[in-house]
Amino acid sequence: MTDSALHPFDRALALEADARDADLLHGHTSADYWNMVGPFGGITAATLLQAVLRHPRLLGAPVALTVNFAAAIEAGAFSVRATPIRTNRSTQHWLLQLSQLDCDGVEQVSTTGTAVTALRRETWSELDLARPQATAPAQTPPLNTSGKGVAWVQQYEMRAIDGAFPSTWDGSGEHSRTRLWLRDAQPRALDFPALAAMSDIFYPRVWLRRATPVPAGTVSITTYFHTDAAQLAEVGSGYLLGEARGQAFRNGYFDQAAELWSEAGELLATSNQIVYYKQ
Amino acid sequence: MTDSALHPFDRALALEADARDADLLHGHTSADYWNMVGPFGGITAATLLQAVLRHPRLLGAPVALTVNFAAAIEAGAFSVRATPIRTNRSTQHWLLQLSQLDCDGVEQVSTTGTAVTALRRETWSELDLARPQATAPAQTPPLNTSGKGVAWVQQYEMRAIDGAFPSTWDGSGEHSRTRLWLRDAQPRALDFPALAAMSDIFYPRVWLRRATPVPAGTVSITTYFHTDAAQLAEVGSGYLLGEARGQAFRNGYFDQAAELWSEAGELLATSNQIVYYKQ
């Protein structure tokens, strides 16, 4: 299989093991998942998680992932360091870092993070969140993403139940909630890195709340995974139901809470992020 | 002022600067904030944040804090390392680590974390979360915390509006939401470390949901700060209104979302944590 036969997501997540350092991997930014001035934050989160999943000492599956966007990532080569800093009987704690060489050849850290992986056992389980009301995907019109001017949006099929991208910037916003169906535009079976990426798919809530296109960007995102390989396999390349809403907007930063559900009604991931905005 | 004249919270957060390393501070666990088999997670989160706030290169005020509880902290001395890994014009990214020497004198990392601090400017601001309904503090009976058998609980005055600690473990739980008034038992003006600690004040939601005392412990907590020094000064030693609720309980891990409000109705912090539980 040639590289071009791979799914764009797998091409973006292709990492080469360092010959001498088991914690180190090397990659390259993807034009397919480019945002306005750097990679889509979701693809960066997925890349850091992929480095964990590729590590020879990995224990279990992802439970929590925090990614901090410390500085812009330039188009080109990068290195990811995933260090299993503490391995217990059933949990493992990871330090994560993405860096690039600047023009003087000095390593600059642009992204930091932590992750927890764990061996999970079957226990009493319960959902205390209600699944959002939603029209069926086939009854929900697809978003026209072709005019949005950023590449990564084209990689997803999105169908907004409510809270679609504002059609006019007239300051008329009244709420900050979006519900949508989403899946990869080119079908791909769901896995943990895809879930990490999709957790960041919701555009900044401040745009919806204000119907005003102020500069905004995610500073830090934390995703909790409530699923496992068997459940992911059942979802396959099916739709996810996503909801995101803003909470507090104050003096340049707001937080948004998000959920990703399977079409069958399982809560696969909950995610929170804090986002910088101007004005 | 002698040490014993200090507030227990300030005694717990007393850190000594390392003579040679600006990123390193030395402290000692506090009996006042002891939990069942280690320190109250909130005091550990507050200690890591305090290390950031004490750093000579600090830029701005806390925006986000993630703390991962990787291993038990033993009673005794510890070191905290707070590294400003990236300083931008208005934001600063921190790596955090708490470690102790084991009996062989080898440094063992028990807690990791990241923080973001920032210079904040006045902007358009809005709250999209509604403040929970609550009876006034004076009309809400205080929790009797003296019989709970853990020291840290005595450091807080709590008045539960609903979702108090289960009075009988009979498996009768129906929801996972607690609303309560809280403040330091011994009055102390609110600051960022106190807010970080109070974000972890809600007992594991699984106990309320199941009315069953299964083993449970926080694995990772992320808190977003929506406040500033002026607002904190207005709150002073007044009550905070706290709410916490579980979201997804599945195969050994659940997440809980929490909010801390001022009595005047300002949302000071939102917090999420993922918690391990058994059975």
Side-chain angles (χ1 to χ4, degrees), chain B residues 21 23-25 48 51 79-83 95-98 107:
Chain B
D21 186 338
D23 296 348
L24 193 62
L25 294 159
L48 290 181
S79 297
V80 182
R81 179 170 289 282
T83 311
L95 293 184
L96 309 172
Q97 200 164 288
L98 189 150
E107 191 182 4

Side-chain angles (χ1 to χ4, degrees), chain A residues 70 88 124 128 176 209 255 270, chain B residues 70 88 128 176 209 255 270 277:
Chain A
N88 300 312
W124 171 90
D128 267 12
S176 63
R209 187 64 183 79
D255 62 335
T270 49
Chain B
N88 301 312
D128 267 11
S176 64
R209 188 62 182 80
D255 62 334
T270 48
Y277 68 98

Side-chain angles (χ1 to χ4, degrees), chain B residues 4 8 11 23 47 54 89 111 115 122 131 137 148 211 225 227:
Chain B
S4 62
R11 280 206 303 274
D23 296 348
T47 302
R54 285 272 306 271
R89 214 165 33 172
T111 320
E122 204 174 307
R131 202 193 88 157
K148 291 290 171 285
F225 300 96
T227 190

Side-chain angles (χ1 to χ4, degrees), chain A residues 68 70 88 91 114 120 123-126 128 176 209 224 226 228 247 249-253 255 270 272 277, chain B residues 68 70 88 91 114 120 123-126 128 176 209 224 226 247 249-253 255 270 272 277:
Chain A
N68 305 290
N88 300 312
T91 60
T114 58
R120 297 175 83 148
T123 65
W124 171 90
S125 296
E126 188 65 71
D128 267 12
S176 63
R209 187 64 183 79
Y224 299 143
H226 305 294
D228 53 38
Q247 301 195 131
F249 302 81
R250 187 159 189 273
N251 291 348
Y253 291 87
D255 62 335
T270 49
N272 286 272
Y277 68 99
Chain B
N68 305 290
N88 301 312
T91 60
T114 58
R120 298 176 83 147
T123 65
W124 171 90
S125 296
E126 188 66 72
D128 267 11
S176 64
R209 188 62 182 80
Y224 298 143
H226 305 294
Q247 300 196 131
F249 302 82
R250 188 160 189 273
N251 291 347
Y253 291 88
D255 62 334
T270 48
N272 287 271
Y277 68 98

Side-chain angles (χ1 to χ4, degrees), chain A residues 16-277:
Chain A
E16 195 187 332
D18 188 84
R20 284 166 306 214
D21 187 337
D23 295 348
L24 194 62
L25 294 159
H26 304 282
H28 196 284
T29 59
S30 158
D32 295 328
Y33 288 87
W34 202 251
N35 198 356
M36 284 174 287
V37 291
F40 163 48
I43 203 74
T44 304
T47 302
L48 289 181
L49 187 59
Q50 176 73 347
V52 169
L53 299 179
R54 283 273 305 271
H55 201 285
R57 285 178 52 205
L58 171 66
L59 179 78
V63 167
L65 173 68
T66 292
V67 176
N68 305 290
F69 302 96
I73 299 174
E74 311 286 336
F78 60 76
S79 296
V80 182
R81 180 170 289 282
T83 310
I85 196 144
R86 181 93 194 195
T87 303
N88 300 312
R89 214 164 35 172
S90 69
T91 60
Q92 193 169 43
H93 284 259
W94 297 84
L95 293 184
L96 309 172
Q97 201 165 286
L98 188 149
S99 60
Q100 294 185 303
L101 298 180
D102 67 16
C103 27
D104 297 324
V106 179
E107 191 182 4
Q108 298 287 350
V109 175
S110 58
T111 321
T112 68
T114 58
V116 182
T117 56
L119 296 170
R120 297 175 83 148
R121 289 181 190 81
E122 206 175 305
T123 65
W124 171 90
S125 296
E126 188 65 71
L127 260 181
D128 267 12
L129 277 184
R131 202 191 89 157
Q133 296 288 322
T135 49
Q139 270 73 59
T140 311
L143 280 186
N144 178 359
T145 54
S146 62
K148 291 291 171 286
V150 293
W152 74 266
V153 176
Q154 322 297 326
Q155 303 304 330
Y156 294 102
E157 178 193 333
M158 300 190 227
R159 295 169 178 258
I161 298 142
D162 67 3
F165 205 83
S167 52
T168 50
W169 298 114
D170 59 1
S172 66
E174 285 177 353
H175 69 90
S176 63
R177 191 181 69 165
T178 289
R179 285 175 299 177
L180 53 73
W181 292 106
L182 75 149
R183 62 180 182 182
D184 285 296
Q186 182 178 326
R188 181 178 179 278
L190 191 66
D191 55 13
F192 285 103
L195 212 45
M198 288 174 178
S199 296
D200 192 35
I201 210 169
F202 305 93
Y203 66 89
R205 302 294 87 197
V206 69
W207 295 352
L208 178 60
R209 187 64 183 79
R210 300 175 70 181
T212 305
V214 297
T218 303
V219 173
S220 181
I221 183 171
T222 291
T223 301
Y224 299 143
F225 300 97
H226 305 294
T227 189
D228 53 38
Q231 209 178 55
L232 290 170
E234 281 171 30
V235 175
S237 60
Y239 284 103
L240 301 191
L241 174 61
E243 175 170 318
R245 53 203 175 274
Q247 301 195 131
F249 302 81
R250 187 159 189 273
N251 291 348
Y253 291 87
F254 72 90
D255 62 335
Q256 66 185 58
E259 303 146 21
L260 293 173
W261 300 76
S262 71
E263 196 175 353
E266 292 140 341
L267 183 53
L268 305 176
T270 49
S271 184
N272 286 272
Q273 59 178 268
I274 187 127
V275 184
Y276 162 80
Y277 68 99

